[in-house]
Amino acid sequence: MTGLGKLVRLNLRRDRMMILGWLAALVLTTASSARATIDLYPEPGARLEAAHAVNSNAALVAMYGPIFDESSLGAIAMFKLILMFGALMTIFFVVLVRRHTRQDEESGRSELVAATGTGPAAQLSAAVLVPTVLALLLGLAVAGGNIAAGLPTAGSFAFGLAWTGLAWFAIALTAVCAQLFSSARTVAGVSAVVIITAYLVRAAGDLTEAEWLVWLSPFGWASRMRPYAGEQWAPLGLFIALWLLGVIGAAWLRQRRDLGSGLIPARPGAAHGTMRGVLALLARLHRPGLLGWAIGLASLGILLGAIAPSAASFAGSPEVEDMLRRAGGGGLLMNAFLALETWFMAIAVSAYGVSVMNRAHTEERSGHTEMVLAGGVSRTRLVLSTIGFAMVSTAVLMAVFGAAAGLAFGIAEHDVPGKLASLTAAGLGQLPAVWAIVGLTALAFGIKGSWAPLGWILLGASVVLGQLGQLLGLQQWLVKSSPFAHTQRMPVQRFEFDAGVIGLLVVSAVSVAAAWWCYRRRDLTGA
């Protein structure tokens, strides 16, 4: 363990911007949801009606889990967050652990660190210790935010520690995968498959009332902690046991492999390459992630499109209907619901675009970019191809979500052509905001490679201001500072090239041009 303290400080320094952005976004999202729900459900009857509508809708139970106490304000406030947002939260911890294990081995950082006065177990211990403590701090901070918003103390701690447990599950899973596989992309892909599978097993258990299925999934454990509904603390012990088993297993596996390799050998590639050009290289590098995102968004689109016709039934009260119409743009309640969910998907797709630009920083830091440039590729071609791929792939993902939602909604409403066209256009209508986020992240990367993670802070701030600003009653100039505040709420509103959309496109274009200009003039070291 020699050198563990220094490695912990190094990891914190490398991740400080990403950590601050994620923690702030998660804590503010839960606290604002709690505060908004308290305002929306002043009467117990409205709470009962809303909760009963959720529990009566199989699609909602599959997505978010059941509400165990239909009279509990906290249970209603957190029912969408505990599992769905908990699953999204696990991505952050997968990224943290993978970055300091498999990615560092691929880039050669681990070998350099091992050549110094560090013990053989220090690197893996630091890679696990930092996110483990952060997960606990996140749970406590979320609990504090919910208590400050007015929710009961015991339920708030149960909710926060349920998220902590899910994060510990993701940490242990990624640590083990990093020992088994030699590719960072494979580690991410396998971790994502396991997390999705665990989520689906929990959903199957809740839908069929097969309780044994629920207990096979960590997401089922989080749900059975029953925040705000007669808290149960035993599942927290299961999370701790799973974390211990995963960490000890990862340490045991690490001792039985060579640095840079995995216990499961990588499959060799073709003897003769067929790749032509930078765009083909980018497509090959990002193919697994892009495919996974497309499948996930298509699945969510189908689910949301299928439950949209019942939006009025689970709104529960006039206050919730008003909230949906304000956030979704007014009009028919089911259209407002779809507009709001499309808005949220635009944020998720923006995260994919930010990750593409951060991957460019990783490739540069590992020396791969230098090899590409040595092969006769110009800096202009490389940076513009990378930004172009990020923007085109985000457009594809938004179109996939819109088309899937439109297909399911069209089948439910017996108007497949009309709803398919309408919701595909709704997805594409959010692209100006998505491209503004990607463009500004590209500008940060162009100025200095190590500034690429600023995109995560920008995205988190945009979520808090744009998505929650109106519900929190923030000043209009703060709400309008988010790119997502300037796009139309389709399909409620019609798409127009108004000042807001034109401004976003101008910001995107200027950011890309400035990123190209800066990238051509800076060192590849990121300075």
Side-chain angles (χ1 to χ4, degrees):
M1 292 294 180
T2 302
L4 176 61
K6 293 181 179 180
L7 288 175
V8 166
R9 292 195 297 272
L10 174 63
N11 291 355
L12 285 172
R13 178 171 176 78
R14 290 175 61 192
D15 299 331
R16 62 190 184 280
M17 292 187 292
M18 182 166 48
I19 289 172
L20 291 174
W22 274 84
L23 292 185
L26 291 169
V27 172
L28 289 173
T29 297
T30 54
S32 60
S33 177
R35 185 67 260 171
T37 305
I38 292 173
D39 295 336
L40 289 169
Y41 293 101
E43 300 296 332
R47 303 172 199 169
L48 287 170
E49 184 180 352
H52 182 71
V54 170
N55 286 334
S56 301
N57 191 307
L60 287 175
V61 172
M63 287 184 66
Y64 305 123
I67 297 177
F68 292 102
D69 185 353
E70 295 185 352
S71 64
S72 170
L73 181 62
I76 297 172
M78 296 292 115
F79 91 95
K80 290 185 67 173
L81 298 181
I82 185 170
L83 296 181
M84 179 61 72
F85 274 66
L88 296 175
M89 176 268 301
T90 60
I91 297 173
F92 169 55
F93 290 93
V94 170
V95 169
L96 279 184
V97 177
R98 186 187 68 146
R99 183 182 191 190
H100 297 294
T101 52
R102 182 50 57 188
Q103 280 188 342
D104 277 356
E105 289 192 37
E106 284 189 348
S107 65
R109 282 178 177 266
S110 294
E111 189 170 4
L112 290 174
V113 171
T116 65
T118 57
Q123 291 190 56
L124 178 60
S125 299
V128 170
L129 180 60
V130 171
T132 297
V133 175
L134 284 174
L136 181 58
L137 292 177
L138 170 64
L140 296 177
V142 166
N146 286 0
I147 293 170
L151 294 183
T153 300
S156 297
F157 277 105
F159 176 86
L161 291 176
W163 269 18
T164 297
L166 289 175
W168 286 346
F169 156 62
I171 292 165
L173 170 65
T174 311
V176 171
C177 289
Q179 314 312 314
L180 295 177
F181 306 103
S182 59
S183 167
R185 293 194 301 274
T186 305
V187 170
V190 172
S191 299
V193 168
V194 173
I195 290 171
I196 293 171
T197 301
Y199 200 92
L200 293 177
V201 169
R202 189 279 315 161
D206 280 332
L207 288 177
T208 61
E209 297 184 359
E211 193 69 12
W212 65 272
L213 274 177
V214 174
W215 288 99
L216 291 179
S217 167
F219 290 98
W221 305 348
S223 173
R224 268 39 180 191
M225 288 188 71
R226 299 170 65 99
Y228 310 104
E231 293 74 20
Q232 301 293 325
W233 304 101
L236 186 60
L238 295 176
F239 282 121
I240 295 173
L242 181 61
W243 179 86
L244 285 172
L245 182 64
V247 171
I248 293 172
W252 185 82
L253 294 172
R254 175 64 188 87
Q255 296 174 355
R256 284 155 178 79
R257 67 175 180 87
D258 292 332
L259 187 66
S261 65
L263 286 174
I264 299 176
R267 186 176 61 183
H272 302 283
T274 58
M275 194 174 296
R276 295 290 184 271
V278 178
L279 284 175
L281 173 62
L282 291 169
R284 177 65 182 85
L285 290 175
H286 293 282
R287 182 176 63 190
L290 183 60
L291 181 61
W293 274 83
I295 293 173
L297 287 171
S299 302
L300 281 173
I302 292 172
L303 278 172
L304 293 171
I307 67 177
S310 59
S313 66
F314 64 76
S317 70
E319 291 84 2
V320 179
E321 293 184 15
D322 180 64
M323 183 274 291
L324 279 175
R325 289 194 171 99
R326 285 191 290 116
L332 294 175
L333 197 59
M334 55 187 173
N335 286 340
F337 169 77
L338 287 170
L340 179 60
E341 298 301 334
T342 302
W343 206 22
F344 277 112
M345 291 306 109
I347 292 174
V349 171
S350 299
Y352 174 80
V354 171
S355 72
V356 171
M357 297 311 306
N358 276 266
R359 176 65 184 272
H361 168 50
T362 302
E363 294 292 321
E364 180 181 314
R365 187 184 61 200
S366 63
H368 297 163
T369 299
E370 190 174 359
M371 297 178 187
V372 172
L373 294 175
V377 176
S378 67
R379 287 197 179 203
T380 295
R381 183 180 177 190
L382 179 60
V383 71
L384 292 182
S385 296
T386 303
I387 299 172
F389 178 85
M391 291 190 168
V392 171
S393 58
T394 53
V396 170
L397 291 176
M398 289 305 301
V400 166
F401 170 78
L407 179 63
F409 189 38
I411 292 174
E413 294 291 296
H414 308 290
D415 181 19
V416 172
K419 302 303 182 185
L420 183 63
S422 173
L423 289 177
T424 301
L428 295 176
Q430 298 297 320
L431 285 178
V434 175
W435 285 347
I437 296 290
V438 174
L440 291 171
T441 305
L443 176 57
F445 168 73
I447 295 172
K448 188 175 182 179
S450 59
W451 286 9
L454 286 173
W456 296 113
I457 296 179
L458 173 64
L459 180 58
S462 299
V463 171
V464 173
L465 296 175
Q467 298 285 9
L468 305 173
Q470 292 184 1
L471 297 178
L472 295 174
L474 298 180
Q475 296 291 326
Q476 275 300 304
W477 67 270
L478 278 174
V479 176
K480 292 295 183 181
S481 64
S482 168
F484 299 101
H486 297 279
T487 52
Q488 285 86 17
R489 303 295 176 259
M490 301 171 67
V492 175
Q493 300 170 330
R494 296 179 57 186
F495 180 80
E496 296 180 0
F497 279 101
D498 57 11
V501 170
I502 294 173
L504 291 175
L505 294 176
V506 169
V507 168
S508 303
V510 171
S511 298
V512 170
W516 161 77
W517 189 87
C518 294
Y519 185 78
R520 289 175 64 241
R521 286 161 174 79
R522 71 166 174 86
D523 293 334
L524 280 183
T525 58

